Amino acid sequence: IGIDAPSLDITSCKEPKVIASDIAQRLKKRSAVMLKENGALCCGPGKDDALAVAMILDKNCKAMIASTLFSKGKPINPREARKMRENYLNSYSKKVKT
């Protein structure tokens, strides 16, 4: 997903083609886009990868909610988030064989 997830307000009346184009634009070099009042759209090279993205995004959302409930809900420092992402990509993520 990256250190943040792009979002899109699709609640206003838009043409389906415009919504699809807006989503595609936000998914460039990303694996998820948050859709206001509609959850999120997750993708990947395969179904298992998309499900892994959804699982990570779900955990991140729960962590933010818990942080907000029990403290001020301050996000992780972007520098620390990048380190955590690099560690995940290098240590835990499933490598796709080409």
Side-chain angles (χ1 to χ4, degrees), residues 73-88:
K74 184 178 173 185
I76 296 171
N77 179 301
R79 188 170 153 197
E80 184 66 23
R82 279 189 287 280
K83 285 182 187 178
M84 293 169 70
R85 177 170 168 68
E86 288 300 318
N87 183 49
Y88 171 78

Side-chain angles (χ1 to χ4, degrees), residues 30-47:
R30 297 302 186 114
S31 300
V33 62
M34 305 288 287
L35 304 173
K36 184 178 180 181
E37 298 181 16
N38 286 281
L41 178 65
C42 300
C43 62
K47 182 179 177 180

Side-chain angles (χ1 to χ4, degrees), residues 9-20 22 36 38:
D9 182 355
I10 62 170
T11 58
S12 60
C13 293
K14 288 185 179 179
E15 294 282 328
K17 286 183 181 180
V18 173
I19 293 172
D22 288 349
K36 184 178 180 181
N38 286 281

Side-chain angles (χ1 to χ4, degrees), residues 3-97:
I3 63 168
D4 59 7
S7 61
L8 179 63
D9 182 355
I10 62 170
T11 58
S12 60
C13 293
K14 288 185 179 179
E15 294 282 328
K17 286 183 181 180
V18 173
I19 293 172
S21 176
D22 288 349
I23 289 171
Q25 183 66 31
R26 283 166 177 79
L27 282 173
K28 287 186 178 181
K29 298 184 181 181
R30 297 302 186 114
S31 300
V33 62
M34 305 288 287
L35 304 173
K36 184 178 180 181
E37 298 181 16
N38 286 281
L41 178 65
C42 300
C43 62
K47 182 179 177 180
D48 290 340
D49 298 293
L51 290 172
V53 169
M55 181 183 71
I56 292 167
L57 184 59
D58 185 61
K59 287 181 180 182
N60 288 344
C61 290
K62 288 176 182 176
M64 186 63 194
I65 291 167
S67 174
T68 302
L69 288 173
F70 296 109
S71 68
K72 295 181 182 185
K74 184 178 173 185
I76 296 171
N77 179 301
R79 188 170 153 197
E80 184 66 23
R82 279 189 287 280
K83 285 182 187 178
M84 293 169 70
R85 177 170 168 68
E86 288 300 318
N87 183 49
Y88 171 78
L89 292 173
N90 294 324
S91 302
Y92 300 104
S93 69
K94 178 178 141 187
K95 305 295 184 208
V96 177
K97 295 181 181 178

